[in-house]
Amino acid sequence: MAGGYPRYLAGKLGGAAASLLAVLVTSFFLFRIVPGDPVKAMTHGMPTSAEQLATLRRQFGLDLPLWQQFTDYCGRALTGDLGASYQFRAPVGELIAERLPATLLLTGTAVVLYSALGLWLGTRAAWRHGGPADKLHTGVALTLWSVPSFWLGLLLIIVFSVGMGPIPGLFPTGGMESGGESGLGYVLDVGHHLVLPVLTLVAVGYAQTLLVMRSSLLDEMGGDYLTTARAKGLRDDDVRRRHAVPNALLPTVTMVFINLGHVVAGSILVETVFSWPGLGGLFYQALSVPDLPLVQGLFVVFAGAMIVMNLLADLLYPVLDPRVGR
């Protein structure tokens, strides 16, 4: 239908803009219900008078009425100014930019690996559903999907970092590098530190991808168009690759793009367990104070990444299925 896609595009862009506005509002009010006084937390253990506490509150704008704090925050955020961190005394944007590469390396590597593995195994399991391989893959995936990522990370540290029984400690317990390395040695050192946190994220993430892809493909396998393709003499592999899988991709594409949004957000629990110097660990540090500008800024960046990835998935749908957007 003429004009269908422009209307579809305008609707999705409008929805993304409304979601970003809602994120701004939520990020301001949500973290103000977190117990704790930022000023008292920053001065904990130091002799501080009531006048000094009042001066710090005035310096950080915490003495202003809530509505004024909110309007000031929205005005700065809309211009890209996320404020200054209470505990680090540095612009929030700079802190995020400093930690972002470590998070992109960790979660980006994990998302690529578990998306490819989950799509491949999910397709194989569905196409031969009911067989031994399908039962094995589904059982393992259900088990791993139900395991908390922080618990799995701690278990891997105990077994492969500390060592248990005949298994020696093979990998570092945390951090991104040992220090003192350069060139190829630095790359290998970072790769050595990457193994366990990436394995933790892949183990949980591939399970979700596999189960969604398997379920979506099973829904397509009874379609008449597959029977017609076989009647035309197409090989089973061609029927799966050229007809069944493309039609089963829409739910999986949504999940893959959501996972790409997690590349920016990182994994707070996994980064904390492995002391990975990324945005997830920074968020945990900020929340423990609470460092309101830093927490709010990270929340906006995390949610914004998810909204953008969802928008890109929506824009890709009409390419995969021309019926979408008509």
Side-chain angles (χ1 to χ4, degrees):
M1 181 182 297
Y5 186 73
R7 285 198 299 271
Y8 173 82
L9 177 61
K12 295 302 179 183
L13 290 173
S19 297
L20 285 172
L21 180 61
V23 165
L24 282 178
V25 176
T26 303
S27 66
F28 179 83
F29 290 103
L30 176 63
F31 298 109
R32 275 165 173 73
I33 65 175
V34 175
D37 185 337
V39 173
K40 288 185 177 179
M42 285 186 293
T43 57
H44 180 70
M46 296 184 291
T48 310
S49 66
E51 291 77 11
Q52 290 173 319
L53 292 176
T55 300
L56 286 173
R57 288 194 175 90
R58 186 165 56 253
Q59 179 183 339
F60 295 135
L62 296 174
D63 62 327
L64 298 174
L66 191 61
W67 66 267
Q68 189 172 347
Q69 292 183 46
F70 175 66
T71 55
D72 290 346
Y73 163 70
C74 289
R76 290 195 306 268
L78 292 175
T79 62
D81 180 7
L82 298 175
S85 165
Y86 294 162
Q87 57 181 325
F88 295 103
R89 304 296 178 93
V92 170
E94 291 183 7
L95 293 171
I96 292 175
E98 179 183 333
R99 299 288 191 101
L100 182 59
T103 287
L104 293 180
L105 176 63
L106 172 60
T107 52
T109 302
V111 166
V112 170
L113 290 176
Y114 72 62
S115 295
L117 184 64
L119 287 171
W120 181 63
L121 291 179
T123 300
R124 296 284 176 175
W127 203 248
R128 294 175 175 82
H129 66 284
D134 176 34
K135 293 178 181 178
L136 174 63
H137 291 315
T138 304
V140 172
L142 285 171
T143 301
L144 290 174
W145 197 9
S146 63
V147 170
S149 58
F150 73 90
W151 182 85
L152 181 59
L154 290 172
L155 184 63
L156 291 177
I157 289 175
I158 293 172
V159 176
F160 295 108
S161 292
V162 178
M164 188 172 66
I167 303 175
L170 300 173
F171 300 99
T173 56
M176 182 176 171
E177 58 180 292
S178 301
E181 300 288 347
S182 61
L184 180 59
Y186 175 77
V187 174
L188 294 176
D189 184 37
V190 172
H192 193 213
H193 285 76
L194 263 176
V195 172
L196 292 186
V198 165
L199 183 59
T200 303
L201 292 173
V202 168
V204 177
Y206 108 91
Q208 181 185 21
T209 309
L210 182 151
L211 293 172
V212 171
M213 185 61 193
R214 178 183 180 276
S215 176
S216 182
L217 187 55
L218 284 176
D219 289 340
E220 296 292 332
M221 286 179 61
D224 293 337
Y225 69 95
L226 297 184
T227 304
T228 302
R230 291 190 180 97
K232 290 180 178 180
L234 288 179
R235 295 184 306 160
D236 196 55
D237 285 346
D238 291 332
V239 173
R240 182 187 71 241
R241 185 177 63 255
R242 294 167 53 184
H243 296 279
V245 170
N247 283 284
L249 275 177
L250 287 185
T252 314
V253 164
T254 300
M255 191 187 59
V256 168
F257 272 87
I258 289 175
N259 290 337
L260 288 174
H262 285 305
V263 170
V264 175
S267 175
I268 296 173
L269 295 177
V270 171
E271 288 191 12
T272 302
V273 167
F274 288 96
S275 302
W276 191 261
L279 295 181
L282 184 63
F283 186 83
Y284 176 81
Q285 286 180 269
L287 195 58
S288 62
V289 173
D291 188 338
L292 295 178
L294 186 53
V295 170
Q296 291 168 177
L298 286 167
F299 183 82
V300 169
V301 171
F302 294 167
M306 300 296 293
I307 291 170
V308 170
M309 288 299 113
N310 271 302
L311 176 62
L312 292 178
D314 288 336
L315 299 183
L316 184 61
Y317 283 167
V319 177
L320 297 175
D321 188 348
R323 295 170 297 180
V324 177
R326 288 183 177 177

